[in-house]
Each structure stands twice: as C-alpha cells, then as structure tokens.
Amino acid sequence: LSLCEPVTVFVCTTCRHPEDAPEAQPRAGARLAATLASSEGVEIREVECLANCKRGPSVAMTRPGGWSYVFGGLAPTDGVAVLEGARLLSLSADGLMPWRGRPEPLKRGLIARIPPIPGASA
Ligand code: FES
C-alpha cells in the first residue's frame, strides 16, 4: 500500500441526535454534513441512512486497499474529528486507522470496521 490514499467520507444527513426533538430540522446529520467540505484527498459524500440510525449521527469512511469504518454517536460539532480520522486513514501505511492519535469521538463512536475488498488494489 502506498501512503496518502484518497479517502471517501460518507455522512448520513438523515440521522437524528438523541437529544434533539424528534422533528427538529435540520437533522443532526445534516448539521454535521454542513461543517464538512471535500478537500484534496478527502471526498465528502452525503448519503441517506447508513443503517445505524439508533446510534446516529453516523459517518462511514473508506480508502482504496484499506479498511472501511462506521462511526456513530457523533455530534453535529464533530466535523474536525471526522476530518482528522480521514487524514489518519489516508496516511496509514497498513490501511488501518491508527488508534493512537485518533480523535475521541472516533474512539467511543466506533461501530464497525470492514477489511479491504478482496481483489481490489490500492
Ligand atoms: S438515518 Fe442515519 S444511519 Fe439511518
């Protein structure tokens, strides 16, 4: 694997925050998404539902030849943590997001990680 792979971040815009009123608009996921913008090496994609609704707000991220991650329980203000996680995943030599240095919201909010897709090259 080479260093500095492009990372795609999928942000669920339909997630609610458990502390929000049920019909509060915009939803917490949309508020989180509004703080994120694509930059070189990090593409932000908005999606509707990552099937982690009960533990939202939710974000997933992946990179070619690397592991994919699903995070939940985020706050609308966790955009900086999400981008830092994307940076760590991009720079990782082994395709895993390192635990050390990982922002707290991405430690306590880890839902799942998925190995690299077989046959897909970095
Ligand atoms: S609404 Fe966000 S994961 Fe389902």
Side-chain angles (χ1 to χ4, degrees), residues 26-53:
R27 292 189 183 182
R31 303 204 309 273
L32 174 61
T35 71
L36 298 169
S38 295
S39 59
E40 193 172 344
V42 180
E43 184 183 348
I44 306 295
R45 285 204 198 167
E46 297 186 358
V47 294
E48 294 186 358
C49 197
L50 293 163
N52 187 49
C53 325

Side-chain angles (χ1 to χ4, degrees), residues 2 10 12 23 36 42-43 77 83 86 88 99-100 108 117:
S2 56
F10 300 97
C12 174
E23 296 312 318
L36 298 169
V42 180
E43 184 183 348
T77 51
L83 292 178
L88 290 171
W99 188 260
R100 187 175 187 170
R108 64 172 181 266
I117 299 169

Side-chain angles (χ1 to χ4, degrees), residues 17-112:
H17 193 280
E19 290 172 9
D20 283 350
E23 296 312 318
Q25 293 286 349
R27 292 189 183 182
R31 303 204 309 273
L32 174 61
T35 71
L36 298 169
S38 295
S39 59
E40 193 172 344
V42 180
E43 184 183 348
I44 306 295
R45 285 204 198 167
E46 297 186 358
V47 294
E48 294 186 358
C49 197
L50 293 163
N52 187 49
C53 325
K54 288 198 170 130
R55 296 177 69 184
S58 314
V59 161
M61 60 180 77
T62 190
R63 58 165 256 195
W67 288 65
S68 301
Y69 290 82
V70 180
F71 300 100
L74 300 175
T77 51
D78 281 337
V80 171
V82 169
L83 292 178
E84 174 61 9
R87 191 184 73 85
L88 290 171
L89 183 59
S90 170
L91 294 173
S92 160
D94 60 4
L96 284 154
M97 186 187 295
W99 188 260
R100 187 175 187 170
R102 190 186 297 186
E104 271 310 311
L106 303 191
K107 285 183 173 174
R108 64 172 181 266
L110 178 61
I111 303 295

